[in-house]
Amino acid sequence: MSGRGVDGDDRLDGDDDWRPTAPLENLKRRAELVGAVRRFFAERGVLEVETPALGAATATDLHLASLATSLSAPLASCAATLSAPLASDAATLSAPAAGGARRLYLQTSPELHMKRLLAAGSGPIWQLCKAFRDGEAGRRHNPEFTMLEWYRPGWDHHRLIGEVDELLRATLPGIVGGGPREQLTYRDAFLTHAGIDPFAADAQTLRSRAAELGVDVGAGSASWSREEWLHLLLAAVVEPRLGRGRPTFLLDFPASEAALARVRDGDPPVAERFEAFVEGVELANGYHELADAREQARRFAADSDARRRDGLPAAPADARLLAALEHGLPDCAGVALGFDRLAMLALGVDSIDQVIAFPIDRA
Amino acid sequence: MASFSTNQFRPGLKIMVEGDPCNIIDNEFVKPGKGQAFNRVKYRNLRTGRVNEKNIRSGDVFEGADVVDTDMQYLYKDGSGWHFMDPASYEQYMVSEAAMGDAQKWVKEQDICSVTLYNGQAISVTAPNFVSLKVTETDPGLRGDTSGGGSKAATLETGAVVRVPLFINVGDLLKVDTRSAEYVSRAKE
């Protein structure tokens, strides 16, 4: 949970905690990796962009917690923007806080802003930026982390999987050289690695399967939902077995896990979403992007209801994204890749503290 | 007693798990991409000594365990158990065989041990890291062999058996590391 010192020492106290946790040699190799990524996209003619770390809206996803701050000097145009007609009843711009200050959110990913660039006609774009997620700290998580995100207009998620695979081979040559990539549907991954059909099993069945697989759980688990059991089995049983010797791409997630991906009709309907795994580490999450403004507004509203039901803080949906979708988002696929984890794999270390200078406990 | 959320879990924190006081050994945050976050928590049950691992939903809250470690002097053993005294309060505590655990292999009367009290009851005992014990039984020593090139079994006055170098004799006083149950050196009287 807490940061690990350079020598795996758990103690952060004492006079030495001004020092970086990552050896300087690791930071040099990380910088080389940034160079390799920049060359990768330059060679492909993808435009490097920068979008705000602070936004008026944030991700509505139930499992993402945003950090917020307030801006004390409201912009002159702020009042006009707020009184403008909203693209949907479900969407609300962040309300001004007391004293005229505005609430702003540190972005959990650059997705909302990058899609507005795509709608404005940017063509293929990429960026390497800081993203922020409250409460996420551990061996593979830091609340402030570096994300590599890119979008390909005119592509679907299958074609983008091919490019993610090429990026992994360019940056992790020693690790993913063991053969062609593996593509596995969400259902087949559960059938193969956990021996259960994730679309058919109910909460009780998933619970007994977890027990059979030796996944011990806390006392509160009696009330867990089907989705929570699936998340547990995925994290504890399935994921550690993926990406061994070659990258694994997990496809066709349940429609309930679509987030901002398109849902393909079928029995059952599945989300056109993928995740990439290398050596049991979840590296990337990609979508064939949802472009339907009305469907997007409906999902924001559903998230908002679920947040209220679960007592989670409200996350204002992005009215400007909905307006951009109304205008027209090109058919495209996009992916977000955890750059710190890519660096961990490239350097062969098992803690994120080994690839960032100052993790949250020393920030 | 205070309550602790999974994001406050640190090695050494004592919490109640299923009615037993437990000591957290490791806490790992795991989260599938877009899903529910869990904490994989490894802990030692202080009553049984067993180590277990549980997946707990991140943000779930556990009650802290009212557990105190106190240095106490081992007095004597009788039919009812092992008896210790808190040198500060002169209060005496009886420790059961189960709670003594491995410590019974190492302690001699007068030794100072760390006794873990839960709700005023002794639930476990940790022997001093190093103890000096006399050899009661071993094969005859090989004179002149101090190279440490081989080893043999030696029984100590408490009944514990450790591997020792070949030159050790019955009656020798040995310094032993109780955490690894390994011979360290010969000790002076």
Side-chain angles (χ1 to χ4, degrees), chain B residues 127-132 175-179 182 184:
Chain B
N129 289 345
F130 298 101
V131 291
S132 294
K175 183 180 178 186
V176 179
D177 186 330
T178 61
R179 293 160 297 183
E182 277 170 6
V184 178

Side-chain angles (χ1 to χ4, degrees), chain A residues 337-351:
Chain A
L337 184 146
F339 182 78
D340 307 286
R341 293 188 188 170
L342 186 72
M344 284 168 64
L345 287 162
L347 271 66
V349 297
D350 66 359
S351 168

Side-chain angles (χ1 to χ4, degrees), chain A residues 33 36-37 40 44 150 161-183 243-249 276-278 283 337 342 345-346:
Chain A
L33 197 60
V37 166
F40 182 88
R44 285 166 169 75
W150 77 98
I161 283 173
E163 190 167 58
V164 174
D165 190 37
E166 285 167 32
L167 178 89
L168 296 180
R169 283 166 204 280
T171 51
L172 303 173
I175 299 171
V176 298
R181 66 175 178 266
E182 176 186 37
Q183 292 192 190
R244 297 292 169 189
R246 62 199 168 151
T248 298
F249 289 83
F277 293 85
V278 172
L283 258 188
L337 184 146
L342 186 72
L345 287 162

Side-chain angles (χ1 to χ4, degrees), chain B residues 66-151:
Chain B
D66 185 12
V67 167
V68 198
D69 292 334
T70 311
D71 282 344
M72 293 195 201
Q73 189 172 41
Y74 170 48
L75 300 177
Y76 62 94
K77 181 194 168 192
D78 64 16
S80 61
W82 280 257
H83 296 264
F84 287 78
M85 181 183 70
D86 181 346
S89 65
Y90 299 106
E91 204 168 329
Q92 290 195 19
Y93 293 84
M94 201 276 286
V95 178
S96 69
E97 174 145 11
M100 272 303 282
D102 263 6
Q104 57 190 281
K105 280 167 36 183
W106 308 115
V107 299
K108 275 194 312 180
E109 289 167 13
Q110 317 299 325
D111 280 352
I112 301 290
C113 299
S114 172
V115 177
T116 303
L117 296 176
Y118 167 60
N119 285 347
Q121 273 205 319
I123 57 165
S124 74
V125 174
T126 309
N129 289 345
F130 298 101
V131 291
S132 294
L133 295 170
K134 225 173 219 125
V135 176
T136 55
E137 204 183 315
T138 191
D139 291 338
L142 291 176
R143 191 185 299 267
D145 181 4
T146 54
S147 64
S151 74

Side-chain angles (χ1 to χ4, degrees), chain B residues 160-182:
Chain B
V161 178
V162 291
R163 301 297 302 177
V164 298
L166 300 178
F167 59 81
I168 297 297
N169 286 302
V170 170
D172 284 354
L173 195 61
L174 307 185
K175 183 180 178 186
V176 179
D177 186 330
T178 61
R179 293 160 297 183
S180 56
E182 277 170 6

